[in-house]
Amino acid sequence: MKKQAFAIAAAVCAVATMLGGCGSTGSASKDAASGNIITAYASEPQNPLIPGNTNETGGGKPGDLLFARLVSFDAKGNASNEVAESITPNDDATQYTIKLKDGWKFTDGTPVTAESFTKAWSYVANAKNAQKCSSFFSTIAGFDDLQKDGLKGDEQLSGLKVVDDKTFTVDMNQPDATFPIKVGYLAFAPLPESFYKDPKAFGQAPVGNGPYKFSKWDHNKEIDLVKNADYKGNDVPKNDGVTFKIYTDDKAAYADIQAGNLDVMESVPASATKTFQKDPKVQAYNKAGSVSQTFTIPSNLEHFQTNTEEGQLRRQAISMAINREQLTDKVLGGIATPAKDFTSPLTPGYSDSLKGVDNLKFNASKAKELWAKADAISKYDGQLTFAYNADGGAKPIYDAIVNQLKNNLGIDAATNPMPTFQEFRDAVTNRQIKGAFRTGWQPDYPSAENYLFQLYSSKAADGNGSNDGDYKNADFDKLMDEAYAAQSTDAANKIYQQSQEILLEQLPAIPLYYSNAVGVASTGVKGFEMNWQNLPVYEELTK
């Protein structure tokens, strides 16, 4: 998580980043007085709200509402031009010409221009600026030059050329057929000039161009957004604003939904999974979803290295010792589906029968056999810990996983809960966790590339993206390049399937299950539905 925080959801670059807008106290008070402010479940963002530097949902959910990008996605994940008038590729998708619509402005009144995009993209790509979503720009020409030492931070991607205020071109360092969809991700948001004058201040009170504008951030309590009256895009809000209420206990949030003190949340606590659909105090939602839930074992962890036979045997043994059906049925109450791959059933090109899928099937005897083979190579007597954030409802899952590994594999396993999502993600980001840790992905755009390249390519490792386990495999990287150059989506999807066979063998992360799009709203809310990212469609909510 991507982006990630929902109840048992992941960390992701999935909904990436910023708040936007510069709302005044007056407008906030006026909108609040109208009584049509929606309150929504949230977690404290890990970082200041700067584009391209949030790979978790605490900052991503409000950010998605505050910044309009070149394209937007409807509830089903279909893309439409938003700020872009057109995005036109050349014959082999190595150059794109982008024209902007007239009339777009940031909430400080300054115009959205071609340079608003090119400077922002270059800022995120530039290694000096240490942005978490830098890897999303890796196919643009000049990216490698911005990864070198000695940069000042204001160097620009050489592949970006401003033609005029409403036109720019993008030269790629390789074909990238997913680019016209990828630019709908928040890391590709435009930035006003005020950002560069004081990025630190901007992160606390950002200025955007989306359907809502920023009003207030009361840390660890709430983030207030109000309707942007000047927004002319595809997602005009039906309400007057959204206030993200920050919780550290999902059971408390659910109780507030029941009592009418909170309007919407995109999860349910483990204690309510079997009852929420029959609860008369809430509106319930439970449909197939796109969020992939995993845990990651660092690729360089001793005895578990992905590039060694011992490490691969141990990873496969652990995966086979987990009974996913039991997790989804008994622990999650049927609101999830056992994983069969590294994407999701809603992802174009999904297959549940890839070579290596048996490594995701419960087989306790085979698991013990593989573990014994690994011990024959190098004996392991350590304790394997599983870190997760205690404020997101993941405890029952990881308690169950640890118990299954003890019972089915006979190893010493233990949970390693961390109090808040922010503390947990900081530990992941800083590579401080010396065991397994909870991960997952909420898609940024509907493509297998988003689940695969962004999580497992070498270019997304070492803090340059969302490859939190720092997995590196040259054969996998080569297939990513081939998929980018494919002449059709179908051809690319076949290559992505092939690349997953490498992942299913080496298991840089262990796929667990696909989260359904599950959530609840209070009974007084109208227009409640959830989108392709397993999130409420906030703009449609009224009361």
Side-chain angles (χ1 to χ4, degrees):
M1 232 146 135
K2 4 304 107 99
K3 248 87 260 312
Q4 54 111 198
F6 10 158
I8 308 178
V12 312
C13 210
V15 175
T17 16
M18 300 183 57
L19 295 179
C22 199
S24 68
T25 305
S27 71
S29 300
K30 177 178 179 293
D31 285 335
S34 73
N36 202 11
I37 300 291
I38 298 299
T39 55
Y41 172 72
S43 59
E44 175 73 1
Q46 180 190 4
N47 298 308
L49 298 159
I50 293 175
N53 198 39
T54 298
N55 59 352
E56 48 79 38
T57 57
K61 289 190 292 188
D64 238 4
L65 302 181
L66 289 162
F67 274 82
R69 283 80 77 191
L70 292 172
V71 303
S72 65
F73 302 106
D74 65 17
K76 294 183 179 179
N78 299 309
S80 298
N81 284 343
E82 174 91 321
V83 181
E85 180 70 44
S86 61
I87 302 174
T88 307
N90 64 356
D91 290 342
D92 63 356
T94 57
Q95 186 188 68
Y96 290 86
T97 300
I98 297 172
K99 294 184 180 295
L100 307 182
K101 293 175 182 174
D102 291 329
W104 279 89
K105 292 183 178 181
F106 293 104
T107 55
D108 62 1
T110 59
V112 177
T113 66
E115 193 175 62
S116 304
F117 286 94
T118 61
K119 282 185 70 173
W121 295 5
S122 295
Y123 183 92
V124 181
N126 195 309
K128 176 70 173 179
N129 301 320
Q131 301 293 283
K132 288 186 171 59
C133 295
S134 173
S135 65
F136 283 84
F137 300 85
S138 64
T139 57
I140 297 177
F143 178 83
D144 290 343
D145 290 335
L146 297 192
Q147 308 312 300
K148 297 176 180 177
D149 293 333
L151 298 170
K152 295 184 296 180
D154 59 357
E155 294 86 355
Q156 302 295 293
L157 285 163
S158 62
L160 302 179
K161 297 286 191 302
V162 173
V163 177
D164 56 46
D165 276 355
K166 293 289 185 291
T167 311
F168 66 101
T169 60
V170 185
D171 287 308
M172 317 304 289
N173 57 35
Q174 64 186 78
D176 184 357
T178 64
F179 182 77
I181 300 173
K182 193 187 299 183
V183 294
Y185 176 43
L186 196 57
F188 289 83
L191 288 173
E193 281 301 305
S194 60
F195 167 77
Y196 306 99
K197 295 174 183 175
D198 193 343
K200 185 175 180 180
F202 188 96
Q204 299 299 322
V207 175
N209 64 325
Y212 296 87
K213 60 183 179 178
F214 177 79
S215 176
K216 183 181 65 173
W217 183 2
D218 189 355
H219 284 275
N220 297 300
K221 292 183 179 178
E222 66 183 47
I223 299 170
D224 298 346
L225 318 181
V226 295
K227 184 176 180 177
N228 179 8
D230 295 325
Y231 171 76
K232 308 297 183 187
N234 300 332
D235 301 307
V236 177
K238 294 181 179 178
N239 51 58
D240 295 317
V242 177
T243 294
F244 287 98
K245 298 280 190 180
I246 294 165
Y247 287 83
T248 58
D249 181 355
D250 61 345
K251 293 188 291 294
Y254 186 82
D256 279 349
I257 294 277
Q258 292 175 309
N261 297 324
L262 181 67
D263 292 326
V264 67
M265 65 185 295
E266 69 280 12
S267 60
V268 294
S271 58
T273 55
K274 296 178 181 177
T275 59
F276 80 103
Q277 293 185 84
K278 298 177 182 178
D279 187 343
K281 297 179 180 178
V282 306
Q283 296 183 63
Y285 192 101
N286 182 15
K287 295 184 180 179
S290 60
V291 170
S292 169
Q293 300 291 353
T294 60
F295 63 80
T296 294
I297 303 172
S299 289
N300 63 355
L301 187 66
E302 190 175 2
H303 294 284
F304 293 89
Q305 293 98 329
T306 51
N307 62 351
T308 67
E309 182 184 4
E310 180 200 358
Q312 291 177 34
L313 288 168
R314 293 199 191 284
R315 288 167 182 266
Q316 292 170 14
I318 287 168
S319 181
M320 289 185 189
I322 295 172
N323 187 331
R324 291 165 177 78
E325 284 76 11
Q326 192 176 78
L327 291 180
T328 56
D329 293 344
K330 303 298 184 185
V331 182
L332 293 172
I335 62 169
T337 305
K340 300 289 180 64
D341 83 327
F342 282 80
T343 65
S344 86
L346 300 187
T347 306
Y350 168 78
S351 171
D352 62 2
S353 55
L354 297 172
K355 180 182 177 183
V357 70
D358 285 351
N359 287 335
L360 305 186
K361 294 177 181 177
F362 178 52
N363 188 335
S365 60
K366 183 69 179 293
K368 290 176 182 175
E369 177 187 325
L370 295 178
W371 193 266
K373 284 184 178 180
D375 272 349
I377 297 171
S378 177
K379 184 68 174 175
Y380 175 71
D381 291 317
Q383 181 184 69
L384 182 62
T385 57
F386 290 78
Y388 64 89
N389 54 301
D391 61 350
K395 183 180 188 300
I397 282 290
Y398 283 92
D399 283 348
I401 288 171
V402 163
N403 285 333
Q404 287 187 4
L405 292 178
K406 287 178 177 178
N407 295 332
N408 300 329
L409 197 55
I411 67 170
D412 184 6
T415 59
N416 177 24
M418 298 184 178
T420 68
F421 192 61
Q422 183 179 31
E423 292 171 76
F424 168 68
R425 283 304 306 169
D426 282 345
V428 171
T429 297
N430 296 326
R431 305 302 193 254
Q432 294 169 336
I433 299 176
K434 306 306 179 187
F437 53 91
R438 168 183 173 249
T439 45
W441 195 249
Q442 178 188 19
D444 306 306
Y445 41 91
S447 169
E449 182 268 357
N450 188 232
Y451 293 83
L452 302 177
F453 178 88
Q454 307 303 339
L455 290 177
Y456 304 111
S457 73
S458 298
K459 289 180 179 177
D462 303 323
N464 295 318
S466 295
N467 183 349
D468 291 332
D470 295 323
Y471 172 72
K472 296 170 186 172
N473 180 290
D475 292 332
F476 178 86
D477 291 341
K478 184 171 181 289
L479 288 171
M480 291 296 100
D481 289 342
E482 290 177 11
Y484 277 132
Q487 296 298 304
S488 70
T489 300
D490 286 345
N493 285 338
K494 286 184 172 62
I495 299 169
Y496 287 132
Q497 289 178 356
Q498 189 180 348
S499 76
Q500 286 203 69
E501 293 178 356
I502 296 174
L503 301 182
L504 286 166
E505 178 73 14
Q506 297 196 330
L507 295 174
I510 311 292
L512 293 171
Y513 55 88
Y514 314 114
S515 293
N516 285 4
V518 169
V520 288
S522 63
T523 55
V525 169
K526 299 174 183 175
F528 176 45
E529 65 172 323
M530 296 181 73
N531 67 14
W532 61 282
Q533 292 179 302
N534 289 23
L535 289 172
V537 183
Y538 297 107
E539 299 93 326
E540 294 294 316
L541 298 173
T542 60
K543 60 180 180 180

